[in-house]
Amino acid sequence: MIEFQKVCKTYRVAKRQAGFRNAVKSLFSREYETVQALDNVSFRIADGEIIGYIGPNGAGKSTTVKVMCGILTPDSGNCLVNGKIPWKERASHVKDIGVVFGQRSQLWWDVPVIDSFELLRDMYKMEERRYRRNLEELARLLELSELLKTPARNLSLGQRMRCEIAASLLHEPKVLFLDEPTIGLDAVSKIAVRQFVKKIKEEKHTTVVLTTHDMMDIEALADRVLLIGHGRILLDGTLEELKRHTSTEKIITIKYTGSMPAVSGGMELREAKENQLTVALDPAILPVSVAIASLASQTELLDVSVTDISAEEVVAALYKEYQI
Amino acid sequence: MKFYVKLFALNLKSQMQYKFSFFLSCLGQFVTAFTSFFSVKFIFMQIDAVDGFSYGQVLLCFAVVMLSFSIGEAVGGGLANFPRMVRTGEFDRILTRPGNLVLQVMIPFFDFTRIGLLVQGAIVLGIAVPQSGIAWTGAKVVTLVLMVVCGAVLFFCLFLFQAAFAFFTMDSLEFLNIFTYGARQFGRYPFSVYGRRVLYVLTFCVPLALVQYYPLRFMVDGEGQAVYMFLPCLSLLFIVPCWALFKLGISRYQSAGA
């Protein structure tokens, strides 16, 4: 379980104007700006939950994750991960967590992946049997067997990410931190990573904290979403709740033959192409079934699809609403 | 433990990968160190003693500093990479792993080419021991070993101290090189030749004189100053402020944006 209680963290950032003259000036007198990265952040994450942690760049996502990993010490407030204070009991705390930073590798660059794994085995002082079992399982699930003998620097990004995830799970952590795990991956690799994370959660009951800008990740994985902006938690709920918070709108897209149907009251025309029509409506005012019946009565329908507002749009609307 | 040994072996392997370059570096270390040896030799062609110390005794001092520096730097010199790791946030990765932080930073940069300097120090020691005119006893041999070992620890501490500053300044403080690379140069002579004030600083602030001047006095003057024999051990207390600074630094670590 992860618990955050009124955590605050500020950074002191040196301010400097561009240009050589200002660079010289800053040698003698420097102005500092205090940036409030986390402002009374509190939340609780239960065991086995997958949390989608979202917010624009600079909102405080990385800072939160770094506090939970024991990298940063907050100015005030308390944080407990599996009952331990990360920055105080660092060594024993990090044995129970796995960390994947999408932008930073944890594999030794010049040695075959399997050698990196064995170094990790020794670092975490794992029993040989337990290591073998976990390695075999991860290699099977992530299809690593072909990659293990390749040096990390020769792997493609997708291959490397699979190895990174395996490396972070070898010691069976209770909590897994994924920081932009699908960044830069192709569609096939993205889907593979998502399916794998789902499986791990189901089989091992691992808690996952997922930070990402890819809303497809959130849609596919997150049980619950935390939205952070300006160092504050702005929303906390399921993706469904977030969607409802933003808009209850439904989108109906139809394909038809014959004449274009008229868009009646309660429906709003979004797009009209040849033999295709998209309308939006609020089901509280006009039930979806009534709208479809109305359209069907006017023309011959070939295809109908009803969708919600997309996660991408929800987040864009939320960022706008909170001006973050 | 097994992990550190493996990491060490991995580093040795990669340094040995380019054999020719490795041996040339070792040779280079060995040859360049001769320049400072000759500078001592040439000075003593003009004079007989410095501050009461004979040529052989100064050479002994020279060898001790050289030996302890080469060990201290081989182990701790890699900490010079630490400011870069702090600036780029590479240190994050190390913090998220169980295990000793300093060892994880240090081992991948352990510099094996320092063996050249070590060999040079050993040769000079071989010349100095018979020439020093010291009546060697068991206690004096122990003192000599203490000087080298504690000196190596002290140099290592200085590298650690310098590295820990990166947490606060985001860059290394070059002036601290006076006490590392500088001490290797001016440590060729007993510190008393530089005057009382320098000796005070090197006794009470940066206790380099505790592994050099005082125990040397004991070896030269003999039994009257037996208390000086154990001063090298006292210098180990310098570990405390260095470690404290490093610990404080970690709590101030800001990481890098990502």
Side-chain angles (χ1 to χ4, degrees):
Chain A
M1 195 176 72
I2 303 175
E3 209 174 352
F4 246 59
Q5 286 168 340
K6 296 187 175 160
V7 174
C8 293
K9 173 84 187 169
T10 54
Y11 293 116
R12 217 163 65 118
V13 182
K15 262 202 310 198
R16 202 181 85 191
Q17 309 290 320
F20 179 71
R21 242 174 109 182
N22 289 307
V24 174
K25 219 171 90 185
S26 75
L27 277 179
F28 301 101
S29 79
R30 202 173 279 188
E31 275 175 55
Y32 287 97
E33 194 178 15
T34 309
V35 177
Q36 184 92 33
L38 295 179
D39 184 4
N40 269 310
V41 171
S42 304
F43 57 81
R44 187 191 280 257
I45 299 172
D47 284 338
E49 242 184 325
I50 300 188
I51 290 290
Y53 197 41
I54 57 171
N57 294 321
K61 286 195 308 280
S62 287
T63 306
T64 319
V65 172
K66 282 172 184 169
V67 169
M68 290 193 269
C69 295
I71 295 172
L72 294 175
T73 309
D75 300 339
S76 66
N78 202 10
C79 165
L80 284 176
V81 179
N82 303 318
K84 286 176 197 141
I85 300 172
W87 59 93
K88 283 198 181 140
E89 297 154 84
R90 196 193 61 81
S92 74
H93 160 71
V94 294
K95 276 189 190 155
D96 291 337
I97 65 166
V99 188
V100 177
F101 291 123
Q103 318 266 37
R104 247 172 234 151
S105 180
Q106 61 183 322
L107 303 168
W108 280 265
W109 206 236
D110 293 315
V111 302
V113 174
I114 188 74
D115 287 9
S116 284
F117 285 1
E118 279 172 11
L119 275 164
L120 290 169
R121 173 196 64 194
D122 297 335
M123 188 185 330
Y124 287 97
K125 299 192 179 108
M126 294 171 65
E127 273 172 51
E128 186 63 29
R129 254 182 50 205
R130 198 173 132 223
Y131 167 74
R132 287 266 146 236
R133 196 189 62 219
N134 290 346
L135 178 65
E136 267 163 38
E137 191 181 359
L138 288 165
R140 183 170 50 79
L141 289 173
L142 287 161
E143 292 166 35
L144 300 181
S145 45
E146 303 286 305
L147 310 177
L148 290 176
K149 296 207 170 102
T150 318
R153 68 180 135 86
N154 294 343
L155 295 174
S156 75
L157 187 61
Q159 292 171 331
R160 209 194 79 208
M161 188 51 69
R162 270 150 54 202
C163 294
E164 297 275 354
I165 292 176
S168 67
L169 287 169
L170 272 176
H171 59 288
E172 295 174 87
K174 290 185 195 133
V175 184
L176 177 64
F177 294 97
L178 296 172
D179 192 5
E180 311 224 25
T182 58
I183 197 165
L185 298 190
D186 63 44
V188 177
S189 307
K190 270 187 190 180
I191 291 170
V193 166
R194 285 178 198 141
Q195 278 175 345
F196 175 74
V197 172
K198 237 186 182 144
K199 206 165 211 160
I200 280 293
K201 173 223 155 108
E202 277 158 17
E203 284 177 12
K204 306 250 164 163
H205 209 59
T206 310
T207 311
V208 181
V209 178
L210 169 73
T211 25
T212 182
H213 289 294
D214 188 336
M215 287 308 135
M216 297 286 280
D217 289 349
I218 300 283
E219 200 140 35
L221 293 173
D223 299 319
R224 206 174 111 205
V225 179
L226 285 173
L227 171 71
I228 188 170
H230 299 306
R232 265 180 244 150
I233 298 286
L234 300 173
L235 278 175
D236 177 352
T238 62
L239 189 60
E240 284 310 305
E241 284 167 354
L242 252 61
K243 279 185 179 174
R244 245 177 286 138
H245 172 94
T246 315
S247 155
T248 49
E249 203 176 62
K250 297 272 180 196
I251 311 286
I252 302 177
T253 305
I254 58 165
K255 283 188 184 147
Y256 60 91
T257 54
S259 60
M260 190 181 119
V263 175
S264 55
M267 281 188 268
E268 187 190 312
L269 181 68
R270 279 291 162 88
E271 202 184 13
K273 279 194 281 194
E274 201 190 341
N275 293 334
Q276 187 174 330
L277 185 72
T278 306
V279 296
L281 59 87
D282 183 347
I285 299 168
L286 179 69
V288 175
S289 56
V290 177
I292 293 174
S294 148
L295 293 169
S297 68
Q298 299 177 54
T299 184
E300 186 166 344
L301 294 186
L302 297 175
D303 187 27
V304 181
S305 72
V306 184
T307 52
D308 281 331
I309 170 173
S310 75
E312 202 79 48
E313 287 169 306
V314 172
V315 170
L318 287 173
Y319 286 5
K320 207 170 161 192
E321 182 186 339
Y322 289 101
Q323 296 178 333
I324 54 177
Chain B
M1 197 56 215
K2 205 169 146 201
F3 167 67
Y4 300 116
V5 173
K6 269 199 174 176
L7 201 58
F8 191 81
L10 197 69
N11 174 31
L12 181 63
K13 245 191 271 175
S14 70
Q15 282 192 36
M16 293 291 225
Q17 206 167 22
Y18 305 99
K19 281 192 200 108
F20 192 59
S21 147
F22 180 78
F23 287 119
L24 271 189
S25 299
C26 292
L27 194 68
Q29 293 274 344
F30 181 72
V31 172
T32 47
F34 264 113
T35 55
S36 40
F37 171 68
F38 281 119
S39 80
V40 175
K41 194 169 171 66
F42 291 147
I43 284 183
F44 275 93
M45 287 166 88
Q46 307 295 321
I47 53 173
D48 295 330
V50 170
D51 200 31
F53 292 99
S54 73
Y55 172 59
Q57 291 160 357
V58 168
L59 268 196
L60 190 64
C61 184
F62 176 93
V64 165
V65 170
M66 181 99 90
L67 283 173
S68 48
F69 178 83
S70 59
I71 299 169
E73 204 216 1
V75 178
L79 288 170
N81 291 290
F82 188 66
R84 181 182 51 81
M85 296 178 87
V86 167
R87 247 194 339 266
T88 58
E90 235 178 286
F91 189 55
D92 285 10
R93 173 53 65 203
I94 286 168
L95 279 169
T96 57
R97 286 178 169 158
N100 187 285
L101 298 175
V102 176
L103 283 178
Q104 285 190 72
V105 174
M106 222 164 60
I107 292 176
F109 296 109
F110 193 102
D111 189 356
F112 295 96
T113 62
R114 292 288 140 186
I115 191 119
L117 206 59
L118 197 72
V119 169
Q120 158 98 173
I123 291 174
V124 177
L125 188 71
I127 300 171
V129 166
Q131 280 205 29
S132 59
I134 292 171
W136 291 96
T137 62
K140 287 182 183 176
V141 174
V142 171
T143 311
L144 188 67
V145 173
L146 282 179
M147 283 164 86
V148 173
V149 173
C150 297
V153 175
L154 203 54
F155 276 116
F156 168 74
C157 285
L158 283 164
F159 282 111
L160 181 64
F161 192 76
Q162 191 169 9
F165 261 99
F167 285 120
F168 307 95
T169 60
M170 282 289 160
D171 220 327
S172 75
L173 287 185
E174 299 292 330
F175 87 87
L176 288 171
N177 284 345
I178 298 171
F179 296 110
T180 54
Y181 297 93
R184 173 189 146 187
Q185 290 302 324
F186 64 76
R188 284 176 297 183
Y189 298 98
F191 290 129
S192 60
V193 297
Y194 303 104
R196 280 183 89 80
R197 268 187 230 160
V198 172
L199 191 60
Y200 273 140
V201 170
L202 294 178
T203 304
F204 298 108
C205 296
V206 181
L208 281 165
L210 298 189
V211 297
Q212 193 236 35
Y213 172 70
Y214 299 105
L216 189 68
R217 270 255 88 93
F218 162 68
M219 290 200 284
V220 173
D221 299 350
E223 309 310 319
Q225 276 145 330
V227 67
Y228 285 174
M229 182 182 160
F230 294 104
L231 281 183
C233 302
L234 195 65
S235 76
L236 296 181
L237 282 179
F238 192 62
I239 297 171
V240 176
C242 296
W243 189 246
L245 187 75
F246 193 81
K247 276 276 171 203
L248 182 69
I250 289 171
S251 71
R252 298 287 183 83
Y253 179 56
Q254 290 215 342
S255 185

